[in-house]
Amino acid sequence: MRRASRKRSTLASRAIAASAALILGGGGLVAVNVYASAGEGQSGPDGGQTGQIENTGRQMSTIDCPEVANDLTEVPDSVRQEVDQELAALDSQITDAYKQFADSWKQIAQDPNYAENAILQPLKDKRLASTDRIATAIEREGERPQGLESLSACTLRADDNGGAGEDGQVDGGQDGDGQGDGGQDDGNQGDGDQNDGQDGGQDGDQGDGQGNGQDDGQGDGQNNGNGGQAGNGPAADDFVDIQSVQPNVQQPRNQRGASRGTFTTDCGRNENGKFNPDNVIVAPGVSNGAHHMHDYVGNQANDAFASDDDLARGDTTCRNQGDRSTYYWPVLRLQNGQNENDANADGGGKDSNVGEIQTPSEVSLKFVGSPVSKVTAMPRFLRIITGDAKAFTNGDANANASWSCTGFEDRQLKDKYPICPEGSQVVRTFNFQSCWDGQNTDSANHRTHVAFADENGSCPNGFRAIPQLVQRIVYDVPPGPGFAVDSFPEQLHKAGTDHGDFINVFNSRLMQKVVSCVNDGRQCT
């Protein structure tokens, strides 16, 4: 993607300041004195000092909805695509509600019931309709699932890591003169653009054409970890100095019968810039099913509408043409006041994903063995998702991606981005599931047909070991907290939402080579 002209993001870019904000919990509505923020570090309604409000409550920074897909363990094949499309509609409903929430700070400040009446209740009604259609579709071919309607209600959720400091001063105060430390709307400095000076993080009347109003008060357009370029993350507390982390990597010991070999496939670094916000695994037939942009290497036919036949015929960036697999993950962007040409597109700026997309400096795709047994071949078109794109609201049960720095990879972070020392690069690692149920290439929730080995390396009963994909992606980014992965808007660009997707399209001859290399203890490419 080429860099586009910089524009002020209006999506999720304003704070919600309310002396009687609502915390919606299981017991109903509770009125508290709270500064509620849809994105840390935003200006108040007059562009003045909003950072002095006492922090006596929680910050309502996102919308939290139960994950319906996790409860769907049995979906007949004949209706699976229909169900997946309804699940994608549920995601779009949350995204739309989050946009409304982020843009409605004035109404919520004036009327504490606005969030419930205008956002949460309509969202619940839409979700009820979607879950009913899911249940009806499944009932046509089998037993109607019970209890889906109980998953329709959503709540407002605080970002427990970000926002106000311990002294109660909320990031982004003194916004009119650019002295706050919150996330900027644009953050451009002194480039001679009158609009930048007027829009670059200030809502007051001090536009001087010099970009002096950026929220971070640094004059360099950097994110500084305080709200992100789109205003909805990441926050300062989403980063940690990797040198302060203790070594924490433990590997199971190889036992007799272990498969010690490796097979490495070279599919490039997405130098040709294949991006889209689709996800053919979880949202087939749905454009922008991911609501964030993906990097792709390997198969070049991958979009929301790709069939197995399309993938089998697709071109590949892999050096070995027998590997037409597709490997994809959320892009990583610099939060530096620059935009890509997706600033006004689905998956990009329309979904609060802005900033310069970074091409990895290195991508390693390696298949490794089991510490306790030989491996068996993967079935063609096996689909595996590792990590959880909604881990911020779902919890970390399926969060699996990890973050580190070159030279420090014995220290892995699951829910934080690393701050790497000078000369060290940021590393994302995805360890995919290494156990297969022996029957299915996919499952209703896209998870239960594969599994992780236990801490000793053994597969669960009924599962067999397959070559494990270990994906390592390295980025040469400036030191400090000025980057983030793309995410669903309501997930606030949290590091724990990182995830990877893989569809096996090895031909049978090459897959047999992979298995032989791994089982025989050889290092192959």
Side-chain angles (χ1 to χ4, degrees):
M1 287 192 170
R2 64 181 183 276
R3 187 179 303 167
S5 62
R6 290 172 283 181
K7 294 182 179 288
R8 185 182 180 200
S9 173
T10 59
L11 186 62
S13 66
R14 302 200 178 212
I16 303 165
S19 61
L22 298 177
I23 297 178
L24 289 93
L29 308 183
V30 180
V32 295
N33 183 24
V34 61
Y35 178 89
S37 173
E40 298 86 358
Q42 307 303 328
S43 62
D46 61 356
Q49 297 184 6
T50 63
Q52 306 299 327
I53 297 175
E54 184 178 5
N55 180 33
T56 57
R58 299 169 61 196
Q59 289 196 345
M60 300 296 100
S61 57
T62 196
I63 291 178
D64 187 352
C65 299
E67 182 58 56
V68 175
N70 290 344
D71 281 41
L72 297 178
T73 56
E74 297 292 337
V75 177
D77 290 342
S78 58
V79 298
R80 183 169 290 173
Q81 183 165 347
E82 180 180 352
V83 169
D84 282 339
Q85 290 176 346
E86 286 294 340
L87 292 171
L90 289 169
D91 288 338
S92 294
Q93 292 161 11
I94 299 171
T95 296
D96 292 343
Y98 175 78
K99 292 176 182 178
Q100 185 182 3
F101 168 62
D103 289 339
S104 300
W105 62 271
K106 283 186 178 179
Q107 293 93 324
I108 296 175
Q110 294 168 1
D111 178 9
N113 292 315
Y114 183 88
E116 170 66 16
N117 295 334
I119 301 175
L120 294 180
Q121 187 58 50
L123 176 59
K124 179 180 179 180
D125 294 341
K126 292 175 183 177
R127 286 172 60 83
L128 270 172
S130 289
T131 54
D132 182 67
R133 287 192 291 269
I134 290 171
T136 299
I138 295 173
E139 187 179 25
R140 289 202 305 268
E141 302 293 334
E143 184 176 349
R144 184 181 181 89
Q146 300 300 309
L148 293 187
E149 65 278 359
S150 67
L151 304 177
S152 60
C154 302
T155 61
L156 299 186
R157 158 76 183 273
D159 178 2
D160 297 327
N161 289 331
E166 293 180 0
D167 60 359
Q169 178 165 321
V170 180
D171 289 351
Q174 302 178 349
D175 203 72
D177 62 6
Q179 297 303 311
D181 59 356
Q184 71 275 17
D185 287 339
D186 189 316
N188 305 319
Q189 181 197 22
D191 59 8
D193 187 334
Q194 179 71 19
N195 290 331
D196 285 345
Q198 292 176 339
D199 291 342
Q202 62 179 6
D203 290 298
D205 298 322
Q206 300 185 23
D208 60 2
Q210 300 302 313
N212 293 330
Q214 63 266 37
D215 287 24
D216 66 3
Q218 300 297 321
D220 59 3
Q222 291 297 321
N223 159 50
N224 290 323
N226 291 311
Q229 190 172 328
N232 70 335
D237 285 348
D238 291 320
F239 292 84
V240 65
D241 185 345
I242 194 66
Q243 296 177 95
S244 70
V245 179
Q246 295 299 312
N248 56 11
V249 174
Q250 296 182 345
Q251 298 288 351
R253 300 178 65 177
N254 283 329
Q255 301 179 24
R256 181 176 299 177
S259 42
R260 296 178 170 86
T262 64
F263 180 90
T264 301
T265 182
D266 181 0
C267 301
R269 302 177 289 113
N270 197 20
E271 298 95 330
N272 59 333
K274 179 173 174 58
F275 307 103
N276 67 49
D278 300 344
N279 193 324
V280 71
I281 296 179
V282 300
V286 179
S287 295
N288 194 34
H291 294 278
H292 53 264
M293 205 64 69
H294 286 126
D295 266 318
Y296 289 85
V297 300
N299 203 296
Q300 299 295 284
N302 190 344
D303 61 22
F305 306 95
S307 66
D308 286 352
D309 288 342
D310 293 330
L311 296 175
R313 295 190 297 263
D315 292 333
T316 181
T317 64
C318 300
R319 181 174 298 175
N320 190 322
Q321 294 293 294
D323 180 9
R324 297 181 186 273
S325 302
T326 178
Y327 310 83
Y328 58 104
W329 55 83
V331 300
L332 183 143
R333 301 181 192 247
L334 290 186
Q335 303 287 286
N336 61 354
Q338 307 290 327
N339 276 330
E340 290 284 0
N341 65 359
D342 66 350
N344 296 305
D346 287 340
K350 285 187 176 181
D351 287 306
S352 296
N353 294 300
V354 294
E356 287 185 282
I357 293 175
Q358 299 299 289
T359 300
S361 61
E362 180 183 346
V363 173
S364 170
L365 304 171
K366 182 181 292 187
F367 293 87
V368 303
S370 163
V372 300
S373 71
K374 303 302 183 185
V375 299
T376 190
M378 291 181 179
R380 202 172 195 210
F381 305 118
L382 176 69
R383 286 152 162 79
I384 308 181
I385 301 171
T386 192
D388 185 359
K390 303 172 188 174
F392 177 54
T393 53
N394 284 349
D396 62 2
N398 290 313
N400 181 56
S402 58
W403 294 84
S404 190
C405 303
T406 55
F408 299 88
E409 290 179 67
D410 59 346
R411 313 170 193 200
Q412 297 289 326
L413 300 165
K414 295 292 187 182
D415 61 351
K416 302 287 184 182
Y417 295 111
I419 297 176
C420 302
E422 190 74 35
S424 176
Q425 295 183 315
V426 171
V427 182
R428 299 162 77 180
T429 303
F430 303 96
N431 293 294
F432 283 72
Q433 293 88 321
S434 59
C435 303
W436 171 52
D437 69 4
Q439 300 180 12
N440 300 294
T441 57
D442 200 0
S443 51
N445 58 13
H446 310 294
R447 293 189 183 276
T448 52
H449 63 298
V450 289
F452 289 101
D454 64 23
E455 61 183 11
N456 296 318
S458 298
C459 287
N461 289 337
F463 285 74
R464 62 186 67 174
I466 55 175
Q468 181 184 29
L469 172 59
V470 177
Q471 195 165 278
R472 180 177 175 271
I473 310 170
V474 183
Y475 297 89
D476 186 11
V477 298
F483 62 89
V485 292
D486 272 19
S487 74
F488 285 95
E490 75 280 358
Q491 299 299 313
L492 307 186
H493 301 281
K494 298 297 184 183
T497 66
D498 201 11
H499 56 282
D501 300 77
F502 166 69
I503 303 175
N504 169 40
V505 198
F506 278 75
N507 64 31
S508 57
R509 181 176 180 179
L510 186 58
M511 178 53 66
Q512 282 306 129
K513 178 181 178 180
V514 173
V515 171
S516 296
C517 287
V518 169
N519 286 340
D520 294 347
R522 293 180 284 131
Q523 316 301 310
C524 304
T525 57

